[in-house]
Short mmCIF file of all heavy atoms in Angstrom, two decimals:
data_model
loop_
_atom_site.label_atom_id
_atom_site.label_comp_id
_atom_site.label_asym_id
_atom_site.label_seq_id
_atom_site.Cartn_x
_atom_site.Cartn_y
_atom_site.Cartn_z
N ALA A 1348 12.01 156.89 32.91
CA ALA A 1348 11.26 155.79 32.31
C ALA A 1348 10.66 154.87 33.37
O ALA A 1348 9.72 154.13 33.09
CB ALA A 1348 12.18 154.99 31.39
N HIS A 1349 11.18 154.94 34.61
CA HIS A 1349 10.67 154.09 35.69
C HIS A 1349 9.65 154.81 36.59
O HIS A 1349 9.21 154.23 37.59
CB HIS A 1349 11.83 153.56 36.52
CG HIS A 1349 12.60 152.51 35.81
ND1 HIS A 1349 13.64 152.80 34.95
CD2 HIS A 1349 12.47 151.16 35.78
CE1 HIS A 1349 14.11 151.69 34.44
NE2 HIS A 1349 13.42 150.68 34.93
N LEU A 1350 9.31 156.05 36.26
CA LEU A 1350 8.25 156.73 37.02
C LEU A 1350 6.95 155.97 36.81
O LEU A 1350 6.69 155.46 35.72
CB LEU A 1350 8.07 158.17 36.51
CG LEU A 1350 8.87 159.25 37.20
CD1 LEU A 1350 8.75 160.56 36.43
CD2 LEU A 1350 8.45 159.44 38.62
N PRO A 1351 6.09 155.90 37.83
CA PRO A 1351 4.80 155.23 37.65
C PRO A 1351 3.99 155.92 36.55
O PRO A 1351 4.09 157.12 36.35
CB PRO A 1351 4.12 155.39 39.01
CG PRO A 1351 5.22 155.65 39.97
CD PRO A 1351 6.28 156.36 39.20
N ARG A 1352 3.19 155.13 35.87
CA ARG A 1352 2.32 155.70 34.82
C ARG A 1352 1.39 156.72 35.46
O ARG A 1352 0.99 156.58 36.59
CB ARG A 1352 1.50 154.60 34.16
CG ARG A 1352 2.35 153.63 33.38
CD ARG A 1352 1.45 152.63 32.68
NE ARG A 1352 2.22 151.51 32.18
CZ ARG A 1352 2.69 151.44 30.96
NH1 ARG A 1352 2.47 152.42 30.11
NH2 ARG A 1352 3.38 150.39 30.59
N SER A 1353 1.06 157.69 34.74
CA SER A 1353 0.17 158.79 35.16
C SER A 1353 0.70 159.56 36.36
O SER A 1353 -0.06 160.16 37.11
CB SER A 1353 -1.25 158.27 35.45
OG SER A 1353 -1.29 157.51 36.64
N ALA A 1354 2.02 159.56 36.58
CA ALA A 1354 2.61 160.32 37.69
C ALA A 1354 2.57 161.81 37.36
O ALA A 1354 2.91 162.23 36.27
CB ALA A 1354 4.05 159.88 37.93
N VAL A 1355 2.13 162.58 38.34
CA VAL A 1355 2.02 164.03 38.20
C VAL A 1355 2.92 164.67 39.24
O VAL A 1355 2.89 164.30 40.43
CB VAL A 1355 0.56 164.48 38.41
CG1 VAL A 1355 0.45 165.99 38.35
CG2 VAL A 1355 -0.35 163.82 37.41
N ARG A 1356 3.72 165.63 38.82
CA ARG A 1356 4.65 166.28 39.74
C ARG A 1356 3.89 167.10 40.78
O ARG A 1356 2.92 167.79 40.46
CB ARG A 1356 5.62 167.19 38.98
CG ARG A 1356 6.64 167.81 39.91
CD ARG A 1356 7.79 168.44 39.17
NE ARG A 1356 8.74 168.94 40.12
CZ ARG A 1356 9.07 170.22 40.24
NH1 ARG A 1356 8.58 171.11 39.41
NH2 ARG A 1356 9.93 170.59 41.15
N ILE A 1357 4.34 167.03 42.01
CA ILE A 1357 3.79 167.84 43.09
C ILE A 1357 4.59 169.12 43.12
O ILE A 1357 5.80 169.11 43.34
CB ILE A 1357 3.87 167.09 44.44
CG1 ILE A 1357 3.08 165.78 44.35
CG2 ILE A 1357 3.38 167.97 45.57
CD1 ILE A 1357 3.27 164.87 45.54
N VAL A 1358 3.92 170.24 42.87
CA VAL A 1358 4.60 171.53 42.77
C VAL A 1358 4.77 172.11 44.17
O VAL A 1358 3.82 172.21 44.94
CB VAL A 1358 3.78 172.49 41.88
CG1 VAL A 1358 4.47 173.83 41.77
CG2 VAL A 1358 3.57 171.88 40.51
N PRO A 1359 6.02 172.50 44.52
CA PRO A 1359 6.25 173.11 45.83
C PRO A 1359 5.72 174.53 45.87
O PRO A 1359 5.61 175.14 44.83
CB PRO A 1359 7.77 173.10 45.98
CG PRO A 1359 8.35 172.72 44.66
CD PRO A 1359 7.24 172.27 43.78
N PRO A 1360 5.40 175.05 46.99
CA PRO A 1360 5.41 174.42 48.31
C PRO A 1360 4.20 173.51 48.47
O PRO A 1360 3.11 173.82 48.01
CB PRO A 1360 5.34 175.61 49.27
CG PRO A 1360 4.62 176.67 48.51
CD PRO A 1360 4.99 176.46 47.06
N ALA A 1361 4.42 172.39 49.12
CA ALA A 1361 3.34 171.42 49.34
C ALA A 1361 3.61 170.67 50.64
O ALA A 1361 4.74 170.60 51.12
CB ALA A 1361 3.26 170.45 48.17
N ARG A 1362 2.55 170.13 51.19
CA ARG A 1362 2.65 169.35 52.43
C ARG A 1362 1.89 168.05 52.22
O ARG A 1362 0.72 168.07 51.84
CB ARG A 1362 2.09 170.15 53.59
CG ARG A 1362 2.03 169.34 54.87
CD ARG A 1362 1.62 170.17 56.05
NE ARG A 1362 2.83 170.30 56.86
CZ ARG A 1362 3.25 171.41 57.40
NH1 ARG A 1362 2.59 172.52 57.22
NH2 ARG A 1362 4.33 171.42 58.13
N LEU A 1363 2.57 166.93 52.47
CA LEU A 1363 1.96 165.62 52.34
C LEU A 1363 1.93 164.96 53.71
O LEU A 1363 2.88 165.08 54.48
CB LEU A 1363 2.78 164.73 51.39
CG LEU A 1363 3.13 165.32 50.02
CD1 LEU A 1363 4.09 164.39 49.28
CD2 LEU A 1363 1.88 165.53 49.20
N SER A 1364 0.86 164.26 54.02
CA SER A 1364 0.74 163.57 55.30
C SER A 1364 0.38 162.11 55.07
O SER A 1364 -0.57 161.80 54.35
CB SER A 1364 -0.35 164.21 56.17
OG SER A 1364 0.05 165.50 56.54
#
Side-chain angles (χ1 to χ4, degrees):
H1349 287 87
L1350 268 171
R1352 294 184 193 266
S1353 72
V1355 177
R1356 183 167 183 242
I1357 300 171
V1358 180
R1362 174 173 251 135
L1363 309 173
S1364 293

